Structures are given as structure tokens and as C-alpha cells.
Amino acid sequence: MIFDVEHETMPREELEALQLRRLQNVVARVYENVPFYRKKLDERGVKPEHIQKLSDVTLLPFTEKQDLRNHYPFGLFAVSRENIVRLHSSSGTTGKATVVGYTKRDIKNWGEMVARCLAAAGAHSGDFIHNAYGYGLFTGGLGVHYGAEELGATVVPISGGGTRRQAMLLRDFGATVITCTPSYALHLYEAAKEMGIDFRDLPVRIGIHGAEPWTESMRTEIENKLGITAIDIYGLSEIMGPGVAIECAKVKKGLHIQEDHFLAEIIDSETGEQLKPGEKGELVITTLTKEGIPLLRYRTRDISRLNTAPCRCGRTTARMERVTGRSDDMLIIRGVNVFPSQIETILLETEGLTPHYQLIVGRINNLDTLEVRVEVDEAVFSDQIKNLQRLETKIEKNIKEFLGVTAKCKLVEPKGIERSEGKAKRIIDMRGSQA
Ligand SMILES: [Zn+2]
């Protein structure tokens, strides 16, 4: 079902005209109300009236996560504090938190965008949505919550944690849709299994997963184990929260961006140059309608590409390729670029391994080292030691062959890697601490 036929199926010419009007409007607003942007635009000699066509977006300065930190907490807000009805914040493991504020209209738009997303994923009014994204300062929980209500579904605000209780309520309430990170979906599956609950016997039919990059192999794993359709949702708190883009259940090839609210570009993350349509690079987003904290050309650090070809589902909005890596997630091991998602793909294509893994990067005698710890399943674990060693060697060989880096593989017993209630911690980089 298409929730907002007018905006989701708008002819592209009309959509782009709408984007241009909104771009001109947002540039004027930040120039007027946000000293940070006024200064940046003045430095470039750009005035709001210089934005005459969509491609003029390249005249505008980028915004980085660090800019939000530097103006902590409310320095980039474009309206007075009295007009902000909600705050969210992302913690970040290093440095100051980033804080975002929403006006009443922002909250309303966000709810509608998430409702569109849920509908694109195959949910409808009357569905029972088990929302296991964290509630609180993190945007995941409340973002999905308002969208689910807007759609007319019944939302269970279970939030993160308390996994055994989650499994019980999932069964007792008869949820039909589950929303959580992909790694948590598998964690919940295991917990349920231990309690004698088989997901395949439950009425859950759709999983909507985001907040961390995941691969096609991970999707297959989730779909097979849980017996559901697993859909990728994209968002980030600086831009809005969940609901910036989503895959349509019909095609599942690329995530439709809510283009009437966001202008997306792909740039070369080294040079900052805008890339041509279809080229792969860093996703950059300008918010077109946001009032609380509008951002110009926000650098997401997520690697993707855009496809504006019409989709079989009927939507005309551009699709972004699913994000499998971030430009700052990229590991450089002895000069070779490696994305964790590439290693994940290799692991999941190997019989007997589970999707629970960790990458430990270290440095010995000034040389980078990479250790891949991965859990095996029960059947493999009870196998002979020499077979386990053979499996380790095989994985090391595949990583060397496909990625060009030397890694040490260490198989770990089932449940040997700590489970996360939210985003999985996949990378432990110890190089900084050993300098
Ligand atoms: Zn589609």
C-alpha cells in the first residue's frame, strides 16, 4: 500500500520543482536564523537568492557531525526554544553528544514519513507492531512509535532489553510486525528458541530493521530463521531519525527516499565533489522542510548510490542502495580498505558459522593485525578440533583471497560473543591505545 499517493508517486518533474521551492525556502531560513550558516554562506559569497536550480545545491557548504558538537547543545537551532516540542540526542562514543530539536510540525512530518515507510514495508492499519527500538533520547523508539500510530496500527512500546520478556509478549500479544536492529532480531530469535518459542509458529510476518549497516546474507539469515520478510529502513538522528528511506516490500531493491522532505546527493568523500547519478560515494542530505534544526548538505558518512529509475511498486522517489559501510567505519589494514560488511558476507556464506562476530584490530611491531572472532553453531562446535582448525584456515584463506588482507580467524563457542541490546559492537580497534 502507498500511504501518501500524492507525494510518493509524484511525477519527477513536479517533485523536483517542489524540492527547489523548498530548498530556496530552507536556505533563506537558515541564512536568517542560524549564525553558523549565515557566516558560512557569507564566506562563500552565496546569498539565498543565488539558489535558482536544484544543482545550485553545490554552492552550499557541507555540515559535519562535528559542527553539531561544536554548537552543543542548541547552537544550530533555527527557531526559538519555545517552539521546540521535543529533543533527541545521540550519545556517540567519542566527544560531545549531538542534540536535535523538533517543532510540532517536524513531529507531524516525521510521523507521516514513518507511516509511509511502514506501509511500504507491507504493514497496514490493524497490524500489531512490536517496537523494540530503544525509547528515550535515541530517535528509534519514538520515531517508529508515532509512525505506527499514524498508520493506525497497534504499537507495543516494548523498547530495548528484557529479551526473554520480549519473546513472551511477542507470542502472547500476537505481534505481526517487529521493528528492531538486525542483530537484535537474531538475538531475540535465539532467546525465544531457548524458551521453546519458534518464531515460525508466530504470526510475525514483517521485520523492519535499521540503525546499523547489514548485508544481504544477514537478511537471508533473518528471513529464514524468523520466517519473515526483512526490510531495511534508513535514518539518522541528525536528519530526523528512522524513516528517511525504506525498501518497498514489492521490489526490495534500494530504499525509497522521502524526497519531498530531503534532497539527497552522492559525493566523493575525499574531494567533496558531487558525483554523477548512479556513482557510488558518500550520501549527503539537505533537509527541505525541517524547522527545528534544518541542515544543509549533511555528510552522513554512509556509502551508497542513487537510482532515480521508476520502481515497479509505483513510487517515483529515488532509491538509495542499501548502506553496507560507512566511510568512517572503513578499516584500513596495512593500507588495504576493508569494510566490516565484506567480512560479514564471507562469514555468512560459510557453513556452520553464525552472524555473531567481532573484528579486533591491533598493531604489533608497527604492523596492523586483524583478528576475526566468529561464533560457530552447536553442530560445528561439537566437531573434532582438527575440523575446527580446518574451518579457521578456510576462512583466513577466503578473507585473503577476496579482500586482500591477512587475518587471523578464531572460532568461538556458541554464545561466546557478547550480545548487544541495541547496535552490535562489531569492531574493537586497539591501535590508538597502543601508540
Ligand atoms: Zn519500490
Side-chain angles (χ1 to χ4, degrees), residues 45-62:
V46 176
K47 299 269 179 238
E49 55 270 26
H50 292 160
I51 306 299
Q52 293 294 327
K53 50 190 189 304
L54 264 190
S55 57
D56 289 338
V57 70
T58 54
L59 300 173
L60 303 173
F62 289 117

Side-chain angles (χ1 to χ4, degrees), residues 1 12 15 37 111 129 151 159 191 203 217 219 246 254 270 288 301 328 341 379 382 385 390 403 413 428:
M1 184 194 82
R12 283 210 68 83
L15 177 61
Y37 281 124
I129 301 185
L151 183 69
S159 193
S217 329
R219 187 204 311 265
I246 190 146
E270 300 287 318
L288 297 175
R301 302 287 167 190
D328 52 3
S341 58
S382 52
I385 295 280
R390 199 173 295 153
L403 306 180
E413 83 249 23
I428 300 171

Side-chain angles (χ1 to χ4, degrees), residues 54 236 272 397 411:
L54 264 190
L236 60 173
K397 195 169 149 274
L411 298 179

Side-chain angles (χ1 to χ4, degrees), residues 237-399:
S237 68
E238 292 81 5
I239 292 301
M240 181 178 76
V244 173
I246 190 146
E247 288 175 324
C248 55
K250 199 165 194 172
V251 179
K252 280 208 273 190
K253 212 163 170 57
L255 292 81
H256 287 280
I257 300 172
Q258 315 286 347
E259 278 188 296
D260 50 329
H261 294 282
F262 306 110
L263 179 63
E265 305 167 67
I266 297 290
I267 63 158
D268 178 319
S269 55
E270 300 287 318
T271 64
E273 291 293 314
Q274 194 185 63
L275 297 178
K276 289 194 198 69
E279 287 188 311
K280 196 164 186 159
E282 180 182 336
L283 177 69
V284 167
I285 297 175
T286 299
T287 65
L288 297 175
T289 53
K290 210 158 67 155
E291 296 177 333
I293 175 167
L295 297 180
L296 302 183
R297 304 190 85 196
Y298 182 73
R299 295 193 56 168
T300 67
R301 302 287 167 190
D302 289 322
I303 304 295
S304 183
R305 72 175 107 208
L306 299 178
N307 173 9
T308 51
C311 183
R312 273 196 289 119
C313 72
R315 288 176 184 78
T316 49
T317 45
R319 282 170 284 166
M320 57 181 270
E321 186 178 84
R322 66 188 316 200
V323 174
T324 48
R326 290 173 50 80
S327 63
D328 52 3
D329 245 13
M330 188 179 76
L331 292 168
I332 302 178
I333 311 287
R334 298 194 194 182
V336 181
N337 297 345
V338 180
F339 285 106
S341 58
Q342 295 175 306
I343 294 180
E344 180 179 306
T345 302
I346 290 175
L347 297 178
L348 287 179
E349 282 166 3
T350 312
E351 187 98 13
L353 302 184
T354 73
H356 303 288
Y357 67 93
Q358 262 179 345
L359 309 178
I360 294 114
V361 188
R363 184 166 288 163
I364 296 172
N365 296 331
N366 293 318
L367 284 177
D368 299 329
T369 59
L370 172 64
E371 182 181 302
V372 178
R373 286 185 197 159
V374 58
E375 274 181 34
V376 294
D377 62 26
E378 291 286 352
V380 172
F381 186 61
S382 52
D383 210 340
Q384 292 172 348
I385 295 280
K386 73 167 196 289
N387 288 341
L388 289 173
Q389 283 167 344
R390 199 173 295 153
L391 186 55
E392 284 175 342
T393 312
K394 182 178 158 198
I395 296 161
E396 287 168 2
K397 195 169 149 274
N398 283 344
I399 291 174

Side-chain angles (χ1 to χ4, degrees), residues 56-124:
D56 289 338
V57 70
T58 54
L59 300 173
L60 303 173
F62 289 117
T63 309
E64 309 254 4
K65 195 182 182 88
Q66 191 59 39
D67 295 321
L68 277 90
R69 290 190 179 127
N70 293 347
H71 295 84
Y72 174 88
F74 310 138
L76 295 188
F77 285 17
V79 299
S80 64
R81 219 274 303 140
E82 295 73 39
N83 291 306
I84 296 289
V85 298
R86 194 186 314 158
L87 295 174
H88 278 289
S89 170
S90 70
S91 57
T93 45
T94 52
K96 268 185 185 152
T98 55
V99 180
V100 286
Y102 302 74
T103 63
K104 257 189 191 170
R105 180 179 292 269
D106 290 337
I107 294 288
K108 187 170 177 296
N109 283 342
W110 187 12
E112 284 174 9
M113 281 185 264
V114 174
R116 292 181 191 177
C117 288
L118 297 171
H124 45 70

